[in-house]
Structure formats: structure tokens, C-alpha cells
Amino acid sequence: MTGRTEDVLRADVLTARRIVVKVGSSSLTTAVGGLDSDRVDALVDVLARARAAGTEIVLVSSGAIAAGLAPLGLAERPRDLARQQAAACVGQGLLVARYTASFARHGLRVGQVLLTADDVGRRTQYRNAHRALSQVLAMGAVPVVNENDTVATAEIRFGDNDRLAALVAHLVRADLLVLLSDVDGLYDGDPGRPGARRLAEVRGPGDLRDVELGSAGLAGVGTGGMVTKVEAARIATDAGIPVVLTAARHAADALAGRGTGTLFHRTGERAADHLLWLEHASTPRGAVRLTADAARAVVQDNRPLLAADVTGVEGHFAAGDPVELLDEDGRVVARGLAGVDARELPRTRPSPPREVVHPDDLVPVAGPTRAVERPVPRDGTPARGRTGVRIRVLPASAVPGP
């Protein structure tokens, strides 16, 4: 669906009482790095008005690395991890200090929350992060969330703050996710191309069938593009959280429910918290391969996965760990919480039926899945992957020796 809907107020926005707002680096900084105080203040003014109206705000803000470029004499975002970490180390303090001063103009305090993928990829840390964010909100402060780029390595990165924002929206049980960038919505092609049309609404995957997704933003400053934003919208809407994607300059209209940008309608229902974590934030610790009949039964008939259904075990996992369920062809059909240790399965198969995964702890994986073959290191550390790219974990015996 395309066209102008600016005069139509969006009910999902107007009824939202807790909103996660994500803003990209290019909307906060100059092209050569360094924070743009006027841009930061303009955004904070909008968020403060929403806060004064009784809406809880969680701000997911990029910009730490970009803010650290100019102070360190870097002309563009470095490619190597070490210098990215150094820029984040310098820039994160500048970013939070600027937010602290800007929100203070409205009598609001901010709380800094830095996360790595481990903080939502493990159930215990996920619960801790939920409690911390909930308490910050309960005490009237505005959480400012960012990836902990100073310590995050290539193996424990979210990859972009769009995905982080979608996961934070799950974490805090938000009613709405707003993604702000330098593009005023999702277009069916390059926004700079004559004839490109903005999609006012997206009601499901079918609306994206003919959309050409490309990168967006200022080169050398940000990392995300339109692909990451659409993927973040899918994660959120699948869990019942609507998403508005628009330019930062239209933030006031977005939070007022006006028809700016693109509204992604919710496509799923809000599930139990542990299922949201399991599907979108957990890191698989291993995999089990199923018979063809079992693969159909656990996904379609909601029956438990029994030890007798398992034809192979991959990786090292313990009871309570997230695992992926593979069909006979090695495709991921579901993700679940293991009820037994991996080492127990060979012994339990000949014994009376025993649950490997309970139906209440299982999430089917819809649609085609791309399996990425990565070995488990000898220390048992699991392979990691971004949402949309499922990771198949190989057993330690398959890892070549040094």
C-alpha cells in the first residue's frame, strides 16, 4: 500500500504507553564525526514532550563510535575492531554526557545501559537486563541503550542497533518501536530514483515482495541500512509490536500518531517472554536431528520431542540450554529448550520415552532457513549468527585440529 496518510492518526501509536525509539548515527552526528548538539536537542525535545504526556520512553541510540572519530583525529569510521573500540570508548562518554545535559533541560534524568549480544543471548542475563531496565523506568528515568562497542568483539556483536532495538522492545514489553534514520520511510526502490514510492503501510511479507532493499545513511558514520531496519521490523511485528520507520526530523509526527514514514503492522501475537527470547535473542548451544515424522509432529501437532525421535546430536548443551531442531535434511524447523544434557541422549534413546523438548518450550521456525556451517570451538563456545541466518552447530569432533 502506498500514498499519503499524513492526515490519518495511527491508533497503535496513540495507545502506546511504552515506546522504544531508536536513532541512528547519521541523525545525531556530522558526516565527519562529532555530535551535532542541535540535532540531539531537537530529538530530546520530542521525547521529553512524549514523556511529559505520560508515555514511557526507552532510547536506543547509536553514535558512540561516530562521536569519537573527531576527538581521536579519525576522518572516517575505522574498519579494524581495535580502533572502533577506542572510538567507542571516547565517544560513549561524550554521547551520554550530551544526552544527560539535554534531558536535564526538561527535568529528566537518563540512565546508561550498555549491552552485548551475550546480555540477551543467555537467559539469566536476559532476565537481569529486563529487571534493570524496568527499574530505571519505574524510577522515572529515561534509559539510553547502546551496544557496548568498547568490549564487544566480532563474535558477540548485535551487528547493528536496529536489531538491538527490536530485541530491547521485546525485553521491556514495549507497545511500539520507532526507528529513526535519515530516510523518511521504506520505499519500493532507491529513494533517489525517479518514480520510487514510499510505502505508507506494510501489513505482512507480501507487501515487501517487490521492494528492492539497499543501504541508507551517511557513508563512514553508521552501519545499518534499510535491510537491517526491515529485519528489525519483522522481529518486532512477529511478536505483536507495531513499528514506525521514518526520518529523525519527523520524530514529533511519528510519536503524535501522524502518518509519517512507514507503519509496519503487527503480524503475530505477543508470546510468553521466554519464547520471545528463545526465538529472537537466544544463542543455540547445539542441535538435535529428528526423524521426518517427529519433525512434522513437534511443529504441526504441538507434541513433545522424545528421545526416541532423535537421530543425531550436535554440539555440547546442558538441560535448559537453547537448541535447534533439524529435520533429516539438516534444515532448522524449530528452536527449543533442552530438557536433557547432550551426553544423556545416546543413553536415553533405548530407554522408556523421555522428553527432550517440551511443547511449551518450543518455537517453530517459519519459512525457508539458511543454514550456516560453523564449527564449535574446542572450548565449547557456541557459534553465533544474526537473526534471519540460522546457525547450525557442528560437533567438536568435526573441528579440524590445530
Side-chain angles (χ1 to χ4, degrees):
M1 179 177 179
T2 61
R4 295 176 60 85
T5 60
E6 283 75 2
D7 296 330
V8 179
L9 295 181
R10 293 165 169 166
D12 283 340
V13 177
L14 297 177
T15 59
R17 299 273 58 90
R18 178 173 291 180
I19 301 176
V20 172
V21 177
K22 182 266 177 180
V23 61
S25 298
S26 60
S27 300
L28 299 172
T29 60
T30 65
V32 295
L35 292 172
D36 186 321
S37 295
D38 291 339
R39 288 185 173 188
V40 174
D41 287 346
L43 173 63
V44 168
D45 289 346
V46 173
L47 301 182
R49 285 197 295 271
R51 183 69 181 79
T55 302
E56 291 182 324
I57 298 292
V58 177
L59 176 60
V60 177
S61 177
S62 301
I65 293 177
L69 298 182
L72 291 178
L74 298 172
E76 61 183 14
R77 182 186 178 95
R79 295 180 179 273
D80 61 290
L81 180 60
R83 289 195 299 166
Q84 287 178 11
Q85 291 173 322
C89 181
V90 172
Q92 186 63 43
L94 296 173
L95 181 66
V96 173
R98 189 69 200 87
Y99 277 128
T100 299
S102 191
F103 274 104
R105 297 178 299 126
H106 300 276
L108 293 172
R109 296 180 178 177
V110 302
Q112 176 179 253
V113 181
L114 298 178
L115 299 173
T116 67
D118 256 3
D119 295 318
V120 297
R122 296 174 184 271
R123 183 61 177 156
T124 301
Q125 286 94 320
Y126 182 90
R127 287 172 174 169
N128 289 339
H130 167 73
R131 282 194 293 266
L133 283 164
S134 297
Q135 190 61 53
V136 172
L137 288 169
M139 298 182 74
V142 178
V144 178
V145 183
N146 196 1
E147 180 161 14
N148 195 346
D149 291 305
T150 301
V151 299
T153 66
E155 292 300 314
I156 58 170
R157 294 180 70 88
F158 290 100
D160 61 82
N161 272 358
D162 297 314
R163 178 173 181 253
L164 171 60
L167 296 176
V168 168
H170 289 171
L171 193 66
V172 301
R173 301 166 190 166
D175 303 308
L176 177 71
L177 170 62
V178 177
L179 301 175
L180 301 176
S181 69
D182 54 356
V183 180
D184 65 345
L186 175 65
Y187 284 74
D188 59 1
D190 184 348
R193 186 191 68 194
R197 298 179 299 168
R198 176 175 63 86
L199 279 68
E201 295 180 312
V202 174
R203 295 187 176 277
D207 291 346
L208 301 175
R209 188 173 297 113
D210 298 322
V211 174
E212 298 176 7
L213 298 177
S215 61
L218 298 175
V221 176
T223 60
M226 199 53 66
V227 172
T228 67
K229 291 168 178 56
V230 171
E231 175 65 5
R234 184 195 67 79
I235 294 172
T237 56
D238 278 357
I241 304 171
V243 178
V244 175
L245 167 62
T246 191
R249 64 183 181 275
H250 298 317
D253 286 338
L255 293 182
R258 300 188 183 96
T260 184
T262 302
L263 171 64
F264 293 80
H265 291 270
R266 58 172 65 88
T267 57
E269 299 296 329
R270 193 178 296 270
D273 286 344
H274 80 290
L275 295 182
L276 292 178
W277 166 80
L278 181 62
E279 181 176 6
H280 295 296
S282 66
T283 300
R285 313 296 290 184
V288 292
R289 191 181 294 266
L290 318 181
T291 65
D293 289 342
R296 286 191 296 270
V298 297
V299 172
Q300 298 176 13
D301 300 336
N302 196 39
R303 82 157 172 82
L305 173 64
L306 303 177
D309 300 323
V310 176
T311 62
V313 181
E314 301 177 358
H316 306 282
F317 56 85
D321 283 343
V323 294
E324 292 193 319
L325 279 55
L326 313 178
D327 65 13
E328 289 184 326
D329 296 321
R331 293 172 299 193
V332 181
V333 297
R335 184 175 288 189
L337 295 179
V340 297
D341 296 350
R343 64 178 183 274
E344 296 179 66
L345 283 172
R347 293 198 299 270
T348 59
R349 283 191 64 199
S351 64
R354 182 178 181 184
E355 280 190 353
V356 178
V357 178
H358 190 276
D360 290 345
D361 295 327
L362 185 144
V363 177
V365 174
T369 301
R370 292 182 291 156
V372 179
E373 301 278 350
R374 291 186 186 176
V376 177
R378 293 183 181 277
D379 63 0
T381 304
R384 299 181 183 275
R386 293 168 58 179
T387 299
V389 181
R390 301 294 178 179
I391 302 302
R392 180 182 172 201
V393 185
L394 296 181
S397 60
V399 182

